[in-house]
Each structure stands twice: as C-alpha cells, then as structure tokens.
Amino acid sequence: MSKKKLDFRPNEFVVYPAHGVGKIVSIEEQEVAGISLELFVIAFEKDKMTLRVPTHKATEVGMRNLASPDEVADAMKTMKGKARVKRAMWSRRAQEYEQKINSGDLIAIAEVVRDLHRTDDQREQSYSERQLYEAALERLTREVAAVGGGDELAAQKKISDVLQSRAPAAA
C-alpha cells in the first residue's frame, strides 16, 4: 500500500483517466465516515476543479504519471496513420471513442483524434463527432504540453502539424 503512494508527489503532474492532466497540490488526511484516509489533492486548473483521490486507490482508478517523451512520439506516429473508421453505427462508435478518451491512455486518445480529424475538403462533422474530437484533442494537447514543459500553444501547433502532414483519409 505505501509503495503505490510513493509513485506520486506534490507538485507533480499526473493523468486522471476521466479528467486528463492535473497537478497534485498536496497530500492530506481526512476523516470520512469515521475512517482516516490519506488523499491526493489534484487540481485541474483549466476545469477549475479539485479532486481528492485516496492514496491507496490511485493506481487502481488508473491515475498515472505523465507519458514519457517516447510515448508522446508514439502518439504522434499514431495520429500520422490513416484514419480507421469502423462501419458500425455511430452510437456504437461514439461509445468506443468515449471509452478511449476516458481510458487516460495517450495512444488511444491519439487514435480518436486521428479517426475524427477532418480536413477542409471532407464532409462536415456532426455535433457529437465534433464534441468527441475536441475532447480528445484537448486531453492530448494538455498532456503533450505538460510533458514538453507546459506550453499548450506549442503542443497545439505540434499536433496540428502532424494532422496536416498526414495522408488524406478516404472519405
């Protein structure tokens, strides 16, 4: 139990699957229903949200350290690939995209960005497609920025360049 706790420290950026990149601001003790719990206090500045995660549950819920620069490079490679759009009904695909976004897995998120990215000459996205694309793009941008030192504009440009350079998908 105490081994897992040491994986995360205050002032470190972490990825929480359902919310993306946040910063551990502190570790605090709190009494909940008569039981003393040690909690990571994670701030998600962009969303103006604070999350408290029991230290012993952190890895169980999928909280992880930021991706390594190699993982970011792999995600970029993934985005360069040809979009793979299944011929399933949209509701089913949307569910799968949502699961990938909330998995916290950088490569899975990059796949969603790749599959939902549209160039100017392709058909317009539906509202729900656009929402999923933007959610995935934001998660990816925040993590790439955090890994690269915190510059979100540079991260956005890097991702945008990769998407522009890629081979046009068959419409």
Side-chain angles (χ1 to χ4, degrees), residues 21 43-49 138 142 152:
V21 177
F44 297 88
E45 266 182 42
K46 278 274 198 291
D47 304 324
K48 294 184 176 29
M49 177 178 78
E138 187 174 314
R142 284 188 194 171
E152 270 191 47

Side-chain angles (χ1 to χ4, degrees), residues 77-147:
K77 235 179 271 159
T78 299
M79 280 192 308
K80 256 196 169 107
K82 197 166 180 283
R84 294 190 190 114
V85 180
K86 294 187 183 110
R87 294 286 168 225
M89 290 183 67
W90 168 247
S91 60
R92 180 78 202 113
R93 285 195 334 253
Q95 234 176 354
E96 286 176 18
Y97 290 142
E98 189 83 42
Q99 283 173 337
K100 282 183 173 185
I101 292 168
N102 289 327
S103 71
D105 177 2
L106 194 64
I107 303 298
I109 294 168
E111 286 171 5
V112 175
V113 171
R114 176 196 67 203
D115 295 349
L116 291 179
H117 176 72
R118 293 279 180 274
T119 54
D120 296 338
D121 60 347
Q122 288 176 311
R123 66 175 177 76
E124 194 63 33
Q125 283 179 313
S126 69
Y127 178 75
S128 55
E129 255 183 320
R130 186 96 198 123
Q131 294 298 100
L132 285 168
Y133 173 71
E134 286 176 357
L137 188 60
E138 187 174 314
R139 290 272 172 90
L140 185 67
T141 304
R142 284 188 194 171
E143 186 156 0
V144 169
V147 170

Side-chain angles (χ1 to χ4, degrees), residues 57-86:
K57 289 264 192 207
T59 44
E60 218 174 284
V61 297
M63 195 165 105
R64 65 174 175 79
N65 290 313
L66 287 176
S68 68
D70 287 347
E71 288 170 302
V72 170
D74 287 348
M76 295 299 171
K77 235 179 271 159
T78 299
M79 280 192 308
K80 256 196 169 107
K82 197 166 180 283
R84 294 190 190 114
V85 180
K86 294 187 183 110

